[in-house]
Amino acid sequence: MRSILMFAAVAALYSSPSMSQSPAAPSVSNTAPWDQAFLPPAPAWDGASRALLRDASDPWVTDFERDPEHDFSPDYADTRAWFDRLDAASDLIRIEQFGVSPEGRPIYAVIASKDGATFDPSKPVLLAQAGIHPGEIDGKDAGMMLLRDMAFGDKGGLLDRVNLILIPILSVDGHERAGAYSRPNQRGPRIQGWRNTATNQNLNRDYVKLDQVEMQAVRGLVLKYRPDLYVDIHVTDGMDYQYDITYGYNGEDGVWSRSPAIAGWLDARFKPGINAALEAQGHIPGELVFGLDESNPRAGLSDGGLGERFSNGWGSAAHVPAILIENHSLKPYEQRVLGTYVFLEEAMTLLAAHGADLRAAITADRALRPAEIPANFVPEDQPSTTRAFKGITYEMYDSPASGQPVVRWLGQPDPELWSLPFFGSKPSLILQRPVAYWIPAYRSDLIERLKMQGIEMETLTAPRTVALDMLRLEDPKLATRANEGHVQASVTTVSVERRERTWPVGSVQVPTDQPLGDIVVLLLEPQSSESFFAWGMVTEVLSRVEYIEPYAIAPLAEAMLAADPALKAEFEAKLAADPVFAADGNARLEWFYERTPFLDDHYRLYPVAREN
């Protein structure tokens, strides 16, 4: 307690009247004892989108708007109560529960439509998701305003040709682990939710493996409504810059994508319209980028990776147009929320105007069946291009706390347009597409995860004997620490063994000739970094059963040497080349045991088979 009080007292010394804590909304008492004066100053902003705010006296004002400094976001109960009131008052709004959190809270979506309970299939659907990281909750407050304005304002025409589904809070348990100390690198709201769930999981790593009930639920919602555009709303960490609303998608600017037609539509139709709308309302949109070196802001930028565990990577592989928004954490909460409102409104406008073209692109990408599937993306060794970048002025100073130079951002737009090298991503593995995979019935857990993805398969109703390719894991390794509740595994080399076996009732054949075939390959090839094996779900094959005593293997090994000149030559070469091995009697005997039929035949034999 003494250290906390001391920290608050020291922080108060750096507080200024101009940055004093604003009054809390009526239902909140947990306010920060100090303001975040240690953060860099925010550039002045007075965008035209401020006209979207309603006065505190308005009967449909949100808690965010009612707050004098627009730096407040309501808790779960108050948010739900506001939406319930909106639902009761408007025929355009309905609430749908689609899951339950680990702590028992309903996970719900708010749907805006003029179609009633059943959507008109000719209308595009926008799914906007907020609060997968609950501290990054801009989309919830922006969505509340937009839904209100469609129900009781001048935005109802947006629903003539488009339907909207808003998930205001996906990680509802993390949202309620709220406080003033959740996100030290972010400017507002002053009370923020926690990044991880009640089970300490980061949902934004779970799009493919589907570990968590929250992500299983949202995948079910996606399969039910088949949104034409999926917008995943976050807030950044990292470097300072002028942009307040940044966003991106796999395949941006013509680079490689698993969904090239979708990426082309987003490049040609979506991005120009969104950028123009944001700029017209006083915002500065930018492409989603990440700094390479926090101690050198001009070192360059990267795309942050293209992994399928994230929404943008999953969307590309599942052929669901997916936008990842990263609002800038150092911009005031008001500015970020209003920019998100403009983004969502314009996204609906663009879907109304060009939704048919987007659906044609989705259909084209869902028909793709590439023979080779790039995987395991890593940063490029050399920059692929140079990007113009709107930076913020900064200086380096010698920090007595760290004992080394640290960046100090000065809060002023740099009049010089920076030119920074941009490093994209490249695959480090190319996987071949088989005809199908076979999964034994006893791995019903893996089968269920595939079904939750919407993947098609045949379930055996009678035993079937078939010759297939089985994989032997030659060099598996386990991670030294846990990640997202798993001890991960890796393998770089596999050998193929043709085996005939009888697959029992309940086993499944999973064809890759389906729209989600790329995801099938990425999940079931053990070398893939997104696979079930990589997430440590198939480690039972790394345990060897049975062994042989030295008194038994030693005479057997000597007989093997006498009977097989080729084996003897191989053993002698191993002794000559590996002195450590030569000096280790147990290793030498193990070498022979591995070449006998007594060795566990299923050791390192991956249970999922390929059909080629």
Side-chain angles (χ1 to χ4, degrees):
M1 175 63 72
R2 180 175 178 272
S3 62
I4 294 175
L5 293 174
M6 182 180 296
F7 181 47
V10 171
L13 294 176
Y14 292 90
S15 301
S16 63
S18 63
M19 300 180 67
S20 61
Q21 180 67 44
S22 64
S27 61
V28 171
S29 60
N30 182 19
T31 56
W34 90 97
D35 57 44
Q36 291 173 298
F38 51 82
L39 290 181
W45 181 79
D46 188 22
S49 59
R50 276 188 166 149
L52 297 167
L53 294 166
R54 291 205 180 184
D55 186 78
S57 63
D58 190 290
W60 286 106
V61 69
T62 67
D63 286 346
F64 158 75
E65 294 169 298
R66 183 184 293 114
D67 181 67
E69 294 190 7
H70 305 129
D71 192 39
F72 173 73
S73 187
D75 65 13
Y76 175 90
D78 288 346
T79 301
R80 179 59 190 263
W82 191 92
F83 277 125
D84 283 341
R85 189 164 66 95
L86 188 66
D87 180 13
S90 173
D91 292 337
L92 301 179
I93 306 298
R94 63 183 173 91
I95 296 174
E96 179 175 325
Q97 179 178 330
F98 64 92
V100 178
S101 76
E103 291 187 334
R105 295 182 178 89
I107 309 171
Y108 63 93
V110 185
I111 299 174
S113 173
K114 293 184 176 179
D115 301 342
T118 304
F119 282 174
D120 178 349
S122 69
K123 288 184 180 180
V125 177
L126 170 62
L127 173 57
Q129 173 185 286
I132 191 172
H133 292 153
E136 308 166 23
I137 203 62
D138 307 14
K140 178 188 75 177
D141 292 297
M144 293 172 79
M145 292 174 61
L146 179 58
L147 285 162
R148 180 266 322 277
D149 291 346
M150 289 190 291
F152 298 113
D154 60 354
K155 302 296 173 68
L158 292 169
L159 296 174
D160 290 342
R161 298 172 61 189
V162 179
N163 288 317
L164 172 65
I165 302 171
L166 171 71
I167 302 174
I169 314 166
L170 178 56
S171 181
V172 292
D173 295 342
H175 187 275
E176 293 309 279
R177 184 183 170 182
Y181 306 101
S182 295
R183 288 180 65 82
N185 305 310
Q186 180 176 305
R187 179 171 278 113
R190 61 180 175 271
I191 303 299
Q192 302 160 342
W194 194 252
R195 183 178 184 85
N196 277 19
T197 67
T199 58
N200 200 31
Q201 301 298 307
N202 185 340
L203 297 182
N204 196 39
R205 306 293 184 272
D206 199 31
Y207 274 90
V208 176
K209 59 184 172 65
L210 292 182
D211 258 347
Q212 305 304 311
V213 294
E214 296 95 335
M215 296 309 294
Q216 294 168 9
V218 80
R219 184 65 180 123
L221 190 72
V222 169
L223 289 171
K224 177 179 180 179
Y225 287 105
R226 302 285 180 180
D228 299 271
L229 185 65
Y230 182 100
V231 177
D232 180 26
I233 306 167
H234 293 250
V235 179
T236 69
D237 289 312
M239 65 191 296
D240 202 356
Y241 42 67
Q242 296 179 41
Y243 310 103
D244 57 352
I245 310 295
T246 69
Y247 64 97
Y249 44 90
N250 283 24
E252 190 170 6
D253 299 329
V255 303
W256 180 87
S257 170
R258 300 192 196 281
S259 293
I262 291 171
W265 184 91
L266 293 170
D267 274 345
R269 295 291 192 185
F270 188 80
K271 185 162 67 170
I274 289 289
N275 288 352
L278 286 166
E279 290 167 355
Q281 292 295 315
H283 296 275
I284 306 177
E287 294 185 352
L288 183 63
V289 292
F290 303 87
L292 289 179
D293 184 350
E294 63 182 18
S295 64
N296 179 12
R298 292 178 180 263
L301 306 168
S302 80
D303 61 11
L306 304 174
E308 287 74 24
R309 66 191 63 183
F310 308 112
S311 59
N312 52 323
W314 161 81
S316 179
H319 312 305
V320 175
I323 301 290
L324 173 58
I325 293 180
E326 289 279 4
N327 294 334
H328 190 225
S329 60
L330 296 176
K331 300 299 185 293
Y333 190 58
E334 174 192 42
Q335 184 176 352
R336 303 197 317 260
V337 169
L338 294 177
T340 305
Y341 181 116
V342 174
F343 189 104
L344 294 176
E345 179 185 0
E346 182 62 18
M348 293 184 70
T349 301
L350 291 168
L351 280 178
H354 306 293
D357 292 340
L358 178 57
R359 286 187 169 181
I362 294 170
T363 299
D365 287 336
R366 284 172 58 86
L368 296 175
R369 304 291 188 269
E372 295 186 334
I373 299 176
N376 298 12
F377 284 81
V378 297
E380 292 176 328
D381 300 321
Q382 299 296 323
S384 56
T385 185
T386 300
R387 287 195 176 179
F389 191 76
K390 296 179 179 180
I392 290 287
T393 57
Y394 69 94
E395 64 184 10
M396 303 298 296
Y397 79 102
D398 292 326
S399 164
S402 71
Q404 61 187 16
V406 173
V407 173
R408 177 187 284 131
W409 298 102
L410 303 178
Q412 296 297 318
D414 195 328
E416 173 197 351
L417 191 64
W418 298 5
S419 180
L420 300 182
F422 177 80
F423 293 78
S425 296
K426 64 180 181 180
S428 61
L429 176 69
I430 302 295
L431 298 169
Q432 304 300 314
R433 185 189 207 94
V435 172
Y437 292 93
W438 290 65
I439 305 176
Y442 73 86
R443 290 314 310 257
S444 58
D445 57 330
L446 305 185
I447 295 169
E448 287 306 309
R449 289 174 191 261
L450 293 175
K451 288 180 179 178
M452 286 187 290
Q453 281 285 2
I455 290 167
E456 302 165 2
M457 62 190 72
E458 178 194 355
T459 302
L460 271 61
T461 57
R464 190 178 302 177
T465 301
V466 60
L468 300 168
D469 288 341
M470 305 292 292
L471 304 181
R472 183 79 64 179
L473 311 178
E474 298 294 345
D475 55 352
K477 294 180 177 61
L478 291 176
T480 57
R481 64 179 181 85
N483 180 30
E484 300 300 325
H486 295 274
V487 176
Q488 291 182 270
S490 63
V491 62
T492 57
T493 305
V494 299
S495 57
V496 179
E497 302 176 12
R498 189 73 172 175
R499 291 185 170 219
E500 183 177 281
R501 60 175 292 187
T502 299
W503 295 76
V505 171
S507 301
V508 297
Q509 180 199 38
V510 187
T512 64
D513 184 12
Q514 57 177 301
L516 297 178
D518 287 10
I519 289 182
V520 172
V521 176
L522 292 168
L523 280 171
L524 295 181
E525 284 292 335
Q527 294 166 286
S528 162
S529 60
E530 301 288 358
S531 67
F532 293 136
F533 176 80
W535 280 108
M537 299 183 195
V538 198
T539 54
E540 72 273 11
V541 301
L542 305 185
S543 298
R544 192 169 72 183
V545 180
E546 289 296 353
Y547 63 96
I548 191 168
E549 297 285 3
Y551 66 76
I553 186 61
L556 176 57
E558 291 152 14
M560 293 165 65
L561 287 172
D564 189 340
L567 180 70
K568 180 179 180 182
E570 183 183 357
F571 178 61
E572 290 173 348
K574 175 72 172 174
L575 294 175
D578 191 343
V580 174
F581 170 80
D584 187 339
N586 289 331
R588 291 167 63 145
L589 293 178
E590 175 70 18
W591 189 90
F592 286 100
Y593 178 46
E594 290 175 353
R595 286 154 177 79
T596 72
F598 296 106
L599 185 70
D600 177 9
D601 183 57
H602 284 60
Y603 177 50
R604 295 182 177 176
L605 188 68
Y606 186 57
V608 178
R610 290 178 186 157
E611 178 183 344
N612 288 303

